[in-house]
Amino acid sequence: MRYISTRGGVAPVTFSQAVMMGLATDGGLLLPEKIPSVNTATLIEWSKLSFADLAKEVIGLFVEQSDIPKADLDRLIENSFATFDHPDVTPVVKVGDRYILELFHGPTLAFKDVALQFLGNLFEHILAQQGGQLNIVGATSGDTGSAAIYGVRGRKGIQIFILHPKGRVSPIQERQMTTVLDDNVHNIAIKGTFDDGQAIVKQLFNDLDFKKKYQLGAVNSINWARILAQIVYYFYAWGQVNKGANQSVTFSVPTGNFGDIFAGYMAQRMGLPVEKLILATNRNDILSRFFNTGTYRAGTVAPTISPSMDIQISSNFERYLYYLLDEDSDKLKSLMAQLDSDGGFSVADKIMAKTKPLFWARAVSEEETSATIKAVYKDDNYILDPHTAVGVCAATGRSEVICLATAHPAKFGQAVEDATGRTPDVPKVLQGVMERPTRCLILSASFEAVRDCMQEVLG
Ligand SMILES: *Cc1c(COP(=O)(O)O)cnc(C)c1O
């Protein structure tokens, strides 16, 4: 399996090359040349597998043996999910008349661990084969930073620099990052906003001399390996709910950058019987507006109690758009150019009609999110985190929906307490996190300050 760019300007590359490239060199996003398909008999067979064994089957379809030998790939998949504290890795539980797919049993209690534990292992393996160093730089508004740090902490050949806005992430999220004391982990609190951090990271990647000299790598969800790992749990959940039958299911997905729901779309394209994908956003609703009106246009970001979904422009959406435009790179490029020049674009009704059979989108207000947390606690004695609650709310009125639970409620304790009057129990991995020693640099929100700091560390 080779990988190509949505913008058509990259000669096909291997899986390993795609993982190291992150963003395609022509500014597009990497996708497999062909989507593998899975027949019903295989689906039924797969539904008997453990999560890790299923991951070996699904991921194996996207990686050539000449690139990563099967034995190596299987071992690193096994290692990636051994760090989860639930034997099913991503268990499915019945809560009222819906299913909750718990994706928060990894080391940082958010679904991003599923992909970033795998990506950390992949980076280490590929570097061991090729030699060299990888220096990861990223900006975080909360969840991505800690999941990325836990993915690569202590790994050979990798340094990671994570910028967070000083005093603007939750105290728990800050401690989850700064209490990791491995030598290869560098937390930087910048005196500015998340947008400042993101702008600095962009400048670092645009400084081509710097990028080349220091082999900069990206861990955000533009990396194909992240999508790939997430495809697995759609198959897994289908198997758990169907128990050997071959019925289609609906998934409700709390959405920000469109990475998670795009993995669901890929699973459907591969042959998983999916009735609907419910795209649930908070009031930062650029994506639900697109699916309901055909117009994609950024507004200003409004803070919410589901902060990991507070986005303006969704970095992964380009992958879906490429398929929606029948894999026409030229059409895609002209829409992206329009997005840059005019701040938005519209897609014709005839094309939007193709989204209708699978996608159904809805924005959920802050009040509805809190009310959902409260109602599910009262009726079903189950505590939702605010992100998960957005998805559960959007699924209202449908039964037997599989709702993706993207974070553990203890990560967002205040919002949960405000809604239910009760603080969620704190899982073992978070206990004592507020008391542990921390290490963090504080810098002004300037490109030069961060660049000089990295140069000093890397020599
Ligand atoms: C990142 C995140 C999301 C959004 O996922 P996307 O792949 O960006 O759509 C939802 N919930 C939580 C808790 C997250 O951390």
Side-chain angles (χ1 to χ4, degrees):
M1 179 73 74
R2 298 272 159 151
Y3 291 83
I4 52 168
S5 167
T6 49
R7 302 201 188 177
V10 174
V13 296
T14 65
F15 175 73
S16 292
Q17 287 167 329
V19 170
M20 297 309 270
M21 199 180 282
L23 189 68
T25 45
D26 64 354
L29 297 180
L30 295 161
L31 281 171
E33 258 182 333
K34 191 171 161 282
I35 300 173
S37 65
V38 180
N39 63 29
T40 307
T42 306
L43 283 174
I44 305 276
E45 273 311 302
W46 282 3
S47 67
K48 299 172 195 148
L49 300 178
S50 70
F51 184 91
D53 286 342
L54 175 64
K56 292 171 195 169
E57 298 295 329
V58 174
I59 294 172
L61 294 175
F62 291 88
V63 185
E64 285 172 4
Q65 290 249 22
S66 58
D67 179 19
I68 304 179
K70 183 162 169 52
D72 290 349
L73 186 63
D74 284 359
R75 181 176 38 79
L76 68 88
I77 289 169
E78 196 78 51
N79 292 342
S80 300
F81 304 116
T83 54
F84 282 66
D85 76 354
H86 195 286
D88 292 347
V89 182
T90 63
V92 180
V93 297
K94 187 102 201 245
V95 175
D97 63 356
R98 64 187 84 75
Y99 295 96
I100 301 283
L101 170 57
E102 294 184 344
L103 301 172
F104 51 69
H105 292 278
T108 74
L109 309 177
F111 86 96
K112 292 185 171 75
D113 287 324
V114 175
L116 283 160
Q117 288 289 304
F118 176 58
L119 186 59
N121 280 297
L122 265 176
F123 277 149
E124 189 175 59
H125 174 84
I126 296 169
L127 287 170
Q129 300 299 307
Q130 297 179 350
Q133 273 266 132
L134 184 69
N135 298 305
I136 293 163
V137 200
T140 186
S141 57
D143 286 341
T144 306
S146 56
I149 286 169
Y150 273 81
V152 303
R153 64 184 295 186
R155 290 188 188 279
K156 271 203 262 353
I158 303 176
Q159 302 283 326
I160 183 166
F161 297 82
I162 293 291
L163 278 58
H164 71 264
K166 187 175 184 309
R168 294 181 198 227
V169 296
S170 82
I172 283 198
Q173 286 178 322
E174 183 192 322
R175 294 299 170 114
Q176 279 188 298
M177 297 189 276
T178 59
T179 54
V180 180
L181 302 179
D182 301 69
D183 289 340
N184 71 331
V185 173
H186 312 281
N187 277 291
I188 300 175
I190 56 158
K191 294 184 226 162
T193 62
F194 168 64
D195 289 334
D196 294 333
Q198 228 173 6
I200 293 170
V201 170
K202 225 180 191 168
Q203 264 184 296
L204 289 166
F205 276 93
N206 283 335
D207 184 336
L208 294 182
D209 291 335
F210 186 83
K211 183 179 177 200
K212 206 159 165 209
K213 181 168 178 209
Y214 290 111
Q215 276 211 49
L216 296 191
V219 284
N220 47 13
S221 58
I222 56 164
N223 198 307
W224 169 253
R226 285 192 53 177
I227 305 291
L228 179 53
Q230 289 168 208
I231 294 173
V232 178
Y233 50 68
Y234 285 90
F235 283 94
Y236 186 73
W238 179 87
Q240 295 293 302
V241 165
N242 260 303
K243 300 202 165 41
N246 180 33
Q247 273 154 20
S248 63
V249 295
T250 290
F251 292 95
S252 184
V253 189
T255 295
N257 266 318
F258 205 78
D260 208 2
I261 197 164
F262 182 74
Y265 171 73
M266 289 300 282
Q268 190 268 343
R269 290 284 305 263
M270 289 168 72
L272 189 72
V274 179
E275 175 78 31
K276 278 269 181 297
L277 288 173
I278 300 176
L279 184 151
T281 69
N282 63 28
R283 68 176 166 194
N284 296 292
D285 62 349
I286 178 168
L287 287 167
S288 51
R289 270 186 289 124
F290 172 77
F291 281 95
N292 286 309
T293 68
T295 297
Y296 188 74
R297 181 171 298 279
T300 46
V301 174
T304 70
I305 54 171
S306 48
S308 300
M309 290 152 47
D310 292 349
I311 59 112
Q312 256 201 72
I313 290 292
S314 159
S315 55
N316 249 295
F317 181 59
E318 180 170 335
R319 285 192 162 110
Y320 175 68
L321 202 55
Y322 173 74
Y323 288 121
L324 188 60
L325 298 172
D326 292 325
E327 309 181 27
D328 184 334
S329 293
D330 291 330
K331 259 194 217 155
L332 179 84
K333 275 191 288 195
S334 84
L335 287 187
M336 287 299 146
Q338 213 182 326
L339 181 62
D340 279 344
S341 59
D342 309 347
F345 58 78
S346 295
V347 168
D349 288 351
K350 202 171 94 230
I351 297 175
M352 287 309 293
K354 293 198 296 181
T355 68
K356 304 293 181 209
L358 185 59
F359 286 91
W360 187 83
R362 156 130 151 60
V364 172
S365 72
E366 295 288 275
E367 294 72 30
E368 288 173 308
T369 307
S370 288
T372 302
I373 298 173
K374 186 176 178 177
V376 172
Y377 177 56
K378 190 169 145 275
D379 298 343
D380 306 309
N381 199 28
Y382 185 90
I383 300 187
L384 302 170
D385 106 283
H387 303 79
T388 307
V390 167
V392 169
C393 181
T396 305
R398 299 172 195 255
S399 56
E400 309 274 307
V401 176
I402 300 175
C403 298
L404 276 63
T406 51
H408 190 286
K411 274 193 102 161
F412 301 93
Q414 191 58 52
V416 169
E417 193 185 333
D418 291 347
T420 63
R422 190 195 136 173
T423 36
D425 296 335
V426 177
K428 252 212 223 86
V429 287
L430 273 191
Q431 284 169 16
V433 77
M434 298 309 286
E435 284 81 46
R436 269 180 241 146
T438 60
R439 182 157 56 79
C440 183
L441 286 160
I442 300 168
L443 296 178
S444 64
S446 89
F447 161 65
E448 289 80 10
V450 175
R451 182 196 59 196
D452 294 351
C453 159
M454 288 180 65
Q455 266 166 343
E456 201 166 303
V457 170
L458 298 171

